[in-house]
Each structure stands twice: as C-alpha cells, then as structure tokens.
Amino acid sequence: VQLVESGGDLVQAGGSLRLSCAASGLTLNTYDIGWFRQAPGKEREGVSCISESDHTIYYADSVKGRFTISSDVSKNTVYLQMNFLKPEDTAVYYCAAAVSPLDDGLRSSEYKFWGQGTQVTVSS
C-alpha cells in the first residue's frame, strides 16, 4: 500500500486549497481513508475521514463547514477541499488508510498505512 499526498501550499487566510491522496495497493471500497494534520509542537489531529464501504463521512469540529472530503473510486484518490482557511490550519497534512470499518475514523491509532505528508501554511 502506498499513499501519496499532494496539493499543500502557502495561502493567505480566507483562501482555499485542495489536497489529494492518491492510493495504490488498495481499493477505496474496502479501505477507509482519513486526513490528519500535525502542527509543530502539537499532537496529530484527525481532520476528516471517509468510508466508501458504509458511506460515512466525519469531520473534526474545527473544520466543519469549511472542509469537504470526497473520493474518486475510479482514480483511487481521496480529496480534501479546504475553504476559508485560517492560520491555525497551518500543519503538515497526512492521509492514512485502514481496512474498513473503523471504530473511530478520526483516531490515528486506527490506521495502518500513512503517506509522507504535505505542508499547508496559512498566512495571516
């Protein structure tokens, strides 16, 4: 299994970015995908997760209404559309995968496979 994130960048507050997580060695129909982030000096935080097997999506309270997770099964890719970005969204963003179903898709310990991360920096 390999996960490759892309789309991180430097953006001004209020701006938007779309992150991509391209997966290989698995199928989205049987694996749940989560997005996590980690800022310097802080613990890794679950941002959002998606399960194609049971058609569920979850978001952390801190991103509800601003971030949208989606998937393209034909491309085996999961996206994270991030709107109205804030400086506190600055972090390295990771995608992760685990066999569905998960007990808590926003808990990092649930996931077995991780990408290398992509940096998102939001300037004020």
Side-chain angles (χ1 to χ4, degrees):
V1 173
Q2 186 176 21
L3 303 171
V4 179
E5 302 97 334
S6 62
D9 205 344
L10 170 63
V11 64
Q12 288 188 334
S16 298
L17 284 174
R18 189 178 80 157
L19 304 183
S20 299
C21 173
S24 59
L26 60 81
T27 59
L28 296 183
N29 291 323
T30 56
Y31 277 75
D32 291 354
I33 304 295
W35 281 101
F36 293 79
R37 65 186 182 186
Q38 188 165 20
K42 294 188 177 181
E43 292 187 354
R44 189 166 296 188
E45 173 191 20
V47 174
S48 183
C49 60
I50 186 168
S51 174
E52 289 292 336
S53 64
D54 59 11
H55 308 290
T56 56
I57 287 175
Y58 296 100
Y59 297 99
D61 288 343
S62 57
V63 305
K64 279 181 182 176
R66 300 188 298 123
F67 291 10
T68 303
I69 193 170
S70 62
S71 63
D72 185 334
V73 175
S74 67
K75 296 182 178 179
N76 234 27
T77 299
V78 173
Y79 304 98
L80 186 68
Q81 177 67 43
M82 306 186 297
N83 299 327
F84 306 108
L85 283 162
K86 305 175 181 180
E88 51 263 45
D89 294 319
T90 295
V92 177
Y93 283 70
Y94 301 88
C95 65
V99 175
S100 182
L102 302 180
D103 291 331
D104 182 353
L106 296 181
R107 186 166 59 201
S108 60
S109 60
E110 296 268 356
Y111 292 86
K112 182 176 181 179
F113 303 103
W114 291 82
Q116 83 290 348
T118 186
Q119 176 71 47
V120 172
T121 303
V122 185
S123 64
S124 57

